[in-house]
Amino acid sequence: MLQIVLGVVIGVIATLGIVWLVRKYRGQIRVILSRYLYWILGLCFPLLTGLLIGVLISNKREELGSWADWASAIGTVGAFIWGFIAITKQTSIQRALNVEDKRPRFSFEQTDNIQKDEIVLRSNMKENTTSDGIRKRLRNNEGLLFRITNISENPVYSIKIIFKYNSEKEDTYELHGLPKEKAIVLIPTKFIKNWQTVFVRFRSSANEVGYMYCKVGGSASYYFVKDKNNEISTYGDDKIVWPNDEIVQIFKDHFKNPSKVAFKASELIKKSR
């Protein structure tokens, strides 16, 4: 009986030791695991199996060890497995927090000007979407432009936009790279009298794909495509969607022939200088 208790105590001590080691060096352990995970799995489990068999089999007559040997060996192996699971779980949680922290947020508004250094996305290559053409159309009161601002502290790797306005018009745009707290101004085919919806697909700096959808007069809704990391979640009204969900398919169906024509405003563009 004393041997069994001793074996259990040794197993508990080993478990606590591994827990302490994981907490103290989890940063370094996380890096090593991310690089060499499959090698670790491939080597450690056969070694542990061999160690267990070696402990349990006596050198004399190859008899199985005592209950204390069993308890100690199982406790050690269990402690290792538990520690490995804890490290993997902590790594997934940390990655999830990083992904969630890198999510952008957007504001949008109709506007009659383009500020210096703002990115201008043109709907086509025609003369009326150049700086002078825009200024002339504003003077003629043809309508308004549309500004989308990345109001977060996070850059966006890529952004695709479907913009519906003037009842029947729909323009699509694409841009690679939107810095934090920077704006893009959409130059529609026809200037805006009234807009209906803005639908944005973006890829964050953490490589997460998300969607933002808003109808005029409503609040923006954010959707994030589910990743293999199950620890990634959302807050508030944000939602996790699957890659084949309806919101994703709707965007794919409508996002066709996007304009990639863009320039950076070198000066303020408005009705008059």
Side-chain angles (χ1 to χ4, degrees):
M1 183 66 182
L2 182 61
Q3 289 179 325
I4 296 175
V5 173
L6 182 61
V8 172
V9 170
I10 292 173
V12 171
I13 292 174
T15 302
L16 293 175
I18 291 176
V19 171
W20 175 84
L21 186 68
V22 168
R23 289 182 176 177
K24 184 174 179 61
Y25 299 104
R26 61 186 176 187
Q28 296 92 319
I29 293 172
R30 186 165 55 246
V31 172
I32 293 172
L33 277 177
S34 64
R35 292 181 180 177
Y36 307 110
L37 177 61
Y38 294 107
W39 284 103
I40 292 171
L41 288 173
L43 292 174
C44 287
F45 281 104
L47 288 175
L48 285 171
T49 302
L51 178 63
L52 179 61
I53 293 173
V55 170
L56 296 178
I57 295 179
S58 170
N59 289 329
K60 296 180 179 180
R61 301 181 182 178
E62 295 188 351
E63 295 178 352
L64 290 178
S66 65
W67 284 105
D69 295 333
W70 276 93
S72 178
I74 292 172
T76 302
V77 174
F80 176 85
I81 294 174
W82 185 92
F84 177 79
I85 293 172
I87 294 171
T88 304
K89 181 78 170 178
Q90 182 62 35
T91 301
S92 296
I93 292 173
Q94 190 61 45
R95 287 177 177 171
L97 291 174
N98 179 64
V99 168
E100 294 166 15
D101 189 54
K102 298 297 183 183
R103 288 170 176 168
R105 285 292 188 271
F106 303 99
S107 68
F108 35 89
E109 61 179 345
Q110 295 183 132
T111 181
D112 62 357
N113 65 79
I114 301 172
Q115 298 295 314
K116 182 181 178 181
D117 293 331
E118 284 188 327
I119 300 169
V120 180
L121 275 174
R122 302 164 61 185
S123 56
N124 53 56
M125 291 284 290
K126 294 181 179 179
E127 186 68 24
N128 62 4
T129 61
T130 63
S131 297
D132 290 338
I134 295 167
R135 191 176 288 110
K136 181 179 179 181
R137 293 168 73 183
L138 288 172
R139 282 199 216 102
N140 293 337
N141 295 316
E142 292 186 21
L144 298 170
L145 315 174
F146 198 79
R147 177 181 288 113
I148 299 176
T149 305
N150 177 11
I151 58 175
S152 71
E153 290 287 334
N154 303 310
V156 177
Y157 280 177
S158 66
I159 184 169
K160 298 177 179 180
I161 304 165
I162 301 172
F163 183 58
K164 288 187 177 182
Y165 62 102
N166 295 358
S167 299
E168 80 287 350
K169 296 297 294 181
E170 181 175 285
D171 290 340
T172 55
Y173 306 83
E174 184 173 1
L175 178 70
H176 294 284
L178 177 61
K180 63 179 182 179
E181 299 178 340
K182 289 291 185 179
I184 53 178
V185 178
L186 307 182
I187 311 301
T189 306
K190 293 183 178 292
F191 276 20
I192 303 166
K193 302 297 183 183
N194 52 77
W195 69 278
Q196 280 77 52
T197 61
V198 57
F199 197 177
V200 176
R201 180 190 187 274
F202 56 86
R203 185 177 293 276
S204 74
S205 57
N207 208 35
E208 182 183 40
V209 174
Y211 295 84
M212 187 277 292
Y213 180 80
C214 185
K215 288 184 177 181
V216 62
S219 300
S221 298
Y222 288 84
Y223 306 86
F224 300 95
V225 178
K226 183 172 178 58
D227 186 82
K228 59 183 179 181
N229 186 348
N230 292 323
E231 302 301 329
I232 296 176
S233 61
T234 57
Y235 303 94
D237 295 329
D238 296 353
K239 296 179 180 178
I240 294 288
V241 297
W242 292 89
N244 58 351
D245 274 1
E246 182 180 11
I247 192 78
V248 178
Q249 295 305 317
I250 290 174
F251 189 92
K252 287 181 178 179
D253 292 341
H254 286 263
F255 189 76
K256 298 176 181 178
N257 304 316
S259 172
K260 302 180 182 179
V261 184
F263 68 89
K264 191 175 183 178
S266 60
E267 59 180 350
L268 174 66
I269 301 174
K270 58 181 183 177
K271 287 186 178 181
S272 61
R273 284 183 160 178

